[in-house]
Structure formats: C-alpha cells, structure tokens
Amino acid sequence: LLVVFQVSVAVMLVIGAGLLIKSFWMLQRVDPGFKAQRVLSAEITLPASKYKEPQLINNFFNQLNERVAAVPGVESVSIAYDHPLQSNWLDSFEIEGRASTPKNADSANFIPVSADYFNTVGVQAVSGRTFTPQDDADHPGVAIVNEAFVRHYFPNENPLGRRIRPGPPGRIWDGQKLTSFEIVGVVRDVKFDGLASASEPAYYLPSTQSPLNDMTILVRTSSDPQSIVAGLRQAVWSIDPNQPISNVNTLEQIVSESIAQPRLNMLLMMLFGGLALLLSAVGIYGLLSYAVTQRTQELGIRMALGANVTDVLKLVLKQGMFLALIGEVIGLAGAFALTRLMRGLLFGVTPTDTTIFAGVVAVLTLTALLAC
C-alpha cells in the first residue's frame, strides 16, 4: 500500500511539474512585441514645484535626450511614460465623426513617448510613420496606435488620417489647448500587462505634445546597459544637480521579473515531483529487497528444482512492476482530476496534455523497472 501510494503521488506531482515546465517554456517563447536586449530603463520624476510649465518639462527632457545620446556606447535614447512591459494609464477618448456618450466612451492605454521611442525599444511600425522631432508643441497633434487599437476600433477601415480626442483634462501649452490628434501610424502590439496577457488597445502621443513630470528614460546600448549608468546619472545632474533617477534596470531584467511567479511555481513543482519520484523508486527498491531477502530459501529451492536466473528475475520484476502499474493507474486518475485545478497557472498548455501524461508514465515505468 505504501509503495502504491508513493507511485501514485509521484505520478500526480511529476505530471504537474511537466505541465508547468511546458507552460513556462511556452511563456518564454511569447513575442513581447519589443526587443529587450541591451536596453536600460530608469525613472525620472521632476518636482512639480520646480517644473510647473510644460515648456520647462520639454526643455529638460530634450536636453537629457541630447546629452545621454552623447554618452559612449549609447545607440539611441528616448523617454516614455512607461517601459514597454507596463502601462497603467487607461485614458478615455473620442473618435471624431462617431457618436459617443459618457456611458460608452472609448478607452485605451495612453502612452506619451519621444520621437525615437519605437526605434529604441524595437517596436516595429506596421503602416504610416513614427514620430519625428518636428512633432512638438508648435505643430498639430499626431498620434500612433497599435494593432489591437485598429482591430477594436477600426476593424474594417484604414485608421490613418482619422482623428481622436483624448478625454479631459486637455493638454495645455502657452494657453492653447491641443484637443485633437491625427493618427499618422500603426505599430505592432506590445504586451503591456505581462507576457501571458492579451494585447490591449493603446495610442501613443508625442511627449512634447503631452508633457508629464513622471517619465521613464530608455537607452539602447552597444554593450552591457549597466555600463552607461554612471554616464546617465551624470547627464541628468549636468542639467539639474538635484534631480535623482530611480528604478534603474535593464529591460531583460524587467521581462525576467515579470515571469518570476511562473518560474517559482515550476521550480517548486519540479522539486516536489523529483522528491516523489525518488521516494517511489526507493520504496519499490526497499520493498523488493526485503521481499527477496525473506524469500531467499524459496528462490533457492526454485533454482534447485530447475529455475534459472531469468525465471527468478521475472518473478521479482512481476511483483514490483505490478505494484508500480497499480500506482500509476491511480496516479493518472488523480492527475486528470487535480490538474484541472492548475488551469489558472498554465499558459498555452491544456491540463490534460497527452504528451506530458504519456512522457511521465514512461519515466515512472522506467524508474520502477530500474528499482526492481
């Protein structure tokens, strides 16, 4: 009974570990929509008491872009409200020419970015154009939307040339309110809410046409991004000696941290599954060792009466494998029931993945055979 129980538990745990391993592997293969390699991210919060006017904010970040771009090893630099794997500003808007009421107002992720943002983080343009330095506060408002935005709001029409009006409050420069933005480009979807999330609609505005005090600076480098941290700090301090930067990290680290929980789940289940597999093997081995010792005289008599080594081996294997197979059948039944509870932990894998189930049965059978 103990051996059967150990084998059945091993089957359930190893199947769970297999599902999580495959799920994690599938998660790592997800295209986030951007290129995280060699990109540094850092947050900058300008004090509102010192940077009240939009022009002051734009001047600071324009100077910062120029000075960071001059740091050795920097390929491109940009600013954005968030790094690509995060967006926590859901803004309402209206599409000009369409009726809209407060009850059914359209909404999407709102992301102010500088001109070189899409090149810096590796987001590909699908149609139209990206932002240029000329898209500043002195020029008409422009916007770029992602593919999810087009699928949701323009499923059967070309969005280029259409205009959107972000919800109140409006963006103000020198007393003039910029309320309308023309869609000039479409870019690929980015996974804002983690690799396992669905792509959400988003629209990008030039940061100079929507200046904010809280921004993230993103720097693509030719080598290790951490090597330019000192140069980045010096560039900030050369503009404002009292301005700090925070949350300095690489995009690769940010992506890795975003899947930390699935990785932990996988490692824990692998640990428990491995221990259960070891215990079942030791259990079968120990039981058969004890049984063979108790039957030494019987086996001796069988061999004296003509049984050869193969016959004795078959006798032992039959006893051990019979217990193992009973345990596997019970474990498979339990796994079919219990893995459904793991549905929320899985990505791209069904709870009854036949490849995992068959592979685990093969591994457990081989383990039991070796123990016998």
Side-chain angles (χ1 to χ4, degrees):
L1 289 176
L2 180 60
V3 170
V4 169
F5 173 75
Q6 288 175 331
V7 173
S8 61
V9 170
V11 168
M12 290 186 287
L13 289 177
V14 176
I15 285 177
L19 290 173
L20 288 177
I21 291 172
K22 186 173 182 180
S23 175
F24 188 72
W25 180 72
M26 295 290 290
L27 191 61
Q28 287 187 307
R29 291 171 60 87
V30 171
D31 182 5
F34 61 92
K35 298 177 182 178
Q37 297 78 12
R38 298 183 288 106
V39 177
L40 186 74
S41 169
E43 295 179 8
I44 298 178
T45 300
L46 301 179
S49 59
K50 190 173 183 180
Y51 296 89
K52 295 181 180 179
E53 300 297 326
Q55 188 60 43
L56 294 176
I57 298 173
N58 282 337
N59 287 342
F60 178 91
F61 285 118
N62 288 339
Q63 291 183 64
L64 182 61
N65 278 351
E66 294 175 1
R67 300 191 185 192
V68 174
V71 174
V74 172
E75 292 184 350
S76 61
V77 58
S78 65
I79 61 169
Y81 181 68
D82 287 312
H83 59 71
L85 202 60
Q86 178 186 30
S87 180
N88 47 26
W89 188 338
L90 194 67
D91 202 8
S92 61
F93 65 93
E94 294 180 1
I95 300 174
E96 287 190 359
R98 291 186 186 177
S100 179
T101 64
K103 291 184 178 181
N104 64 353
D106 297 325
S107 63
N109 291 285
F110 165 63
I111 311 171
V113 299
S114 64
D116 211 24
Y117 171 79
F118 301 104
N119 177 52
T120 300
V121 299
V123 177
Q124 295 180 356
V126 177
S127 61
R129 67 173 179 88
T130 57
F131 296 138
T132 68
Q134 285 69 43
D135 295 318
D136 56 22
D138 298 323
H139 291 82
V142 292
I144 292 175
V145 299
N146 67 351
E147 293 174 303
F149 189 100
V150 176
R151 288 193 300 269
H152 193 79
Y153 296 111
F154 298 97
N156 300 310
E157 56 184 306
N158 184 3
L160 299 182
R162 299 296 299 272
R163 304 190 71 87
I164 60 176
R165 294 177 177 270
R171 280 63 176 170
I172 302 175
W173 300 268
D174 300 328
Q176 181 181 5
K177 183 178 291 187
L178 194 62
T179 60
S180 179
F181 296 81
E182 179 186 354
I183 299 175
V184 296
V186 179
V187 295
R188 287 189 60 198
D189 291 333
V190 171
K191 298 289 187 180
F192 298 120
D193 196 28
L195 297 181
S197 65
S199 298
E200 300 176 351
Y203 66 95
Y204 303 82
L205 298 185
S207 57
T208 50
Q209 294 186 352
S210 185
L212 299 170
N213 293 71
D214 297 327
M215 297 296 279
T216 298
I217 184 165
L218 299 152
V219 185
R220 179 169 291 278
T221 63
S222 57
S223 57
D224 180 13
Q226 296 289 354
S227 64
I228 61 103
V229 172
L232 174 60
R233 294 185 189 276
Q234 189 59 44
V236 173
W237 293 337
S238 67
I239 304 172
D240 186 341
N242 299 317
Q243 178 60 48
I245 62 175
S246 61
N247 293 333
V248 180
N249 222 334
T250 66
L251 281 191
E252 287 183 299
Q253 290 172 319
I254 292 172
V255 172
S256 178
E257 291 172 1
S258 73
I259 55 176
Q261 189 61 53
R263 185 189 298 113
L264 177 61
N265 295 338
M266 178 193 69
L267 292 176
L268 289 176
M269 191 62 81
M270 285 178 60
L271 175 62
F272 294 140
L275 288 175
L277 188 63
L278 177 63
L279 286 175
S280 63
V282 171
I284 294 174
Y285 176 84
L287 177 69
L288 289 180
S289 175
Y290 176 77
V292 171
T293 301
Q294 294 296 309
R295 299 174 64 183
T296 300
Q297 291 183 348
E298 174 202 338
L299 297 177
I301 293 173
R302 287 178 181 273
M303 296 183 71
L305 293 176
N308 55 35
V309 175
T310 303
D311 295 327
V312 174
L313 182 60
K314 288 180 180 178
L315 186 67
V316 175
L317 289 178
K318 182 179 179 180
Q319 180 184 2
M321 292 306 296
F322 178 72
L323 296 175
L325 291 176
I326 292 177
E328 288 180 6
V329 171
I330 297 174
L332 283 174
F336 270 108
L338 294 179
T339 52
R340 283 165 171 74
L341 301 177
M342 297 174 57
R343 191 181 298 273
L345 301 176
L346 302 179
F347 174 79
V349 182
T350 61
T352 56
D353 188 287
T354 54
T355 304
I356 299 297
F357 275 69
V360 169
V361 169
V363 169
L364 263 295
T365 302
L366 180 61
T367 302
L369 186 61
L370 292 174
C372 291

